[in-house]
Amino acid sequence: MGKTTAAIAYVSASHEHEYPGGVVWLCGETCYALELSMQQVYDQHLSGSHAGGLPRSEASHALVQWLAYGRRGRWLVVIDNVDCVEDVLPRFLERMPPSAGGDVLVTTRASSARVLSTVSWATCVEQRCLRTSDAAVVVWRLVCAYNEQHGTNCGWRGCQQTSPSVQVSSESPSPEMPSEVPHELQQLWLEARGEYTALLYLAKDSERGFGGLPLALVAGTGALCIRGQSFSAFLRACEEAMMGRVTTRVVSTNAGTAVGKPPQSAVQFLQRYKIGSDRAEAIVAILGGGGPVALGDLSELGEDIIESVTRGVLERQRLRQAVKAVRSMGPMVDDEVASRSQARQRLAGIWALSRAELPAAAQEFMEIIAYYPADCTMEELFVWGFLPTTSSIARAFADAEAAAQAASPPSSCKCRGCVVRRRRIVVATLAEALVGASLVKRQHVPGHVVFPLRCLIDGAVDPTSKAADSELQREFTCLSIHRVVQEVVRVGHETRIKSSLRPAVLAWRASVTCGDEAAKVAVTTEAALCGDHWTPAVAMRQIMAARHVAATAPHIDLADATLAIAMPSSDARSPY
């Protein structure tokens, strides 16, 4: 099982008798995500009848006070997906008084050395990859669930949760059946040995499989399902996709051409700390003097070397962060990063298989959100952000408008509110395509959780009125995506042919223009034609814009950022 699944299993087994005070589940992907989830817990369970609850910082403080001084008994706080342990853990633990009566369970991909360097009294338990048989059962169950929901026959014709054909007699299995065949897969083994073997190959740790990695199992199964393939057909597709990424390096020398293994990726490691690819290559080249640079070598960099190889304060700060991270990983840093690199190669192959089956607009949608906040990308931003008319999403908006104009009233209404409604439908459709491929998760969040109260309620409105409460509870749809998946998608952009519509530029353009105040006048004027559909205030759109701009900024250079802002108005106009 994966980290989160292991945490769920622990909570289920120990909740009743170990933690009578309750279990609090928080998201630890970023400091912002941590405080957002703390606010959600407070609003849903502790705020009582106070509509809208408290601002995020106050709600976080109130939750900590409840944990510190509550009288219901011992409690458990689960902080999930804490990869930036150096930032997130102190943010939570430093607020907690020593007398607090509870436990904190943290799931993370960080090494034990990194965790202990941040919290010296922590107890670390390493979670290994799933065994092949367990991983095969996970894939089976996910495919069964997909088939039941969509009425399909992916994997194998008998891969159905409720189908009587998959039920095996409770009596002893066939004498010839190996004892290691999981019970749920016995019918598959009996009736389709080739599909059973293919399923095991997909699940096992091999160059063409998922390696028992929970994230790869979920994403890979999503790719299998949207392709509508059997286990054996998808295995053949994986062989092509995965093997294409187990590459060798051709090195030109004076003596000729040699073939060897890829070097340890110090460059890619620096890129993870938001140092651009060109600058990362330049820094590594200077450090190595033309020779190879292993990740472990970065741990030996002193302040004088950091000063000499970097340009500007920001790059210097990022290199310091990378060096600190390498040091915290300990002497096994190169092995650890090599293992993670292999996992990313698997995910890259899976993404290539999923991408091929997605509509062009859904592909572009996924590639854009790879630059947005992993924990809360807001669908509403795509409704208001301006994209060039040549983008696939803009074309999807244009197609929706063309279909509406061909229909009879009221479907053909051209007022701003109705156009916005149609755009929301398009965006939701694209998001659901990614959900179906197990690439993102989609959730509805009350407005008061993601926006400051003053953005939701006009100063002239009584905050205790029904109208105010309705605005506070208005739901917004947020997308969450694993940060490793985001990184895999972004790296894929670097290996593809560059075009004028690079996803990073599209992400920047959509986020910057979402908060365009000039659009507010047009919205207010035309919305009077039809009062059926809600449009957000400009302050809300500016908050959305600010959050997504902040996430995109590290991935875009000054030239592209300037080009997006100075784009000709004929190209920058909203499709509506």
Side-chain angles (χ1 to χ4, degrees), residues 416-459:
R416 192 70 69 186
C418 289
V419 173
V420 165
R421 177 186 64 83
R422 290 190 285 269
R423 288 168 66 91
R424 287 184 182 130
I425 293 173
V426 171
V427 173
T429 301
L430 300 179
E432 285 297 338
L434 302 184
V435 171
S438 299
L439 294 169
V440 304
K441 295 180 180 178
R442 194 166 179 254
Q443 61 178 337
H444 302 287
V445 181
H448 66 83
V449 174
V450 291
F451 292 107
L453 299 185
R454 61 181 177 274
C455 291
L456 298 170
I457 305 175
D458 187 270

Side-chain angles (χ1 to χ4, degrees), residues 327-347:
R327 289 172 180 168
S328 66
M329 291 181 186
M332 302 301 292
V333 56
D334 291 295
D335 292 338
E336 180 178 340
V337 174
S339 176
R340 293 187 181 182
S341 177
Q342 186 180 32
R344 284 173 171 79
Q345 287 180 351
R346 287 194 174 98
L347 287 171

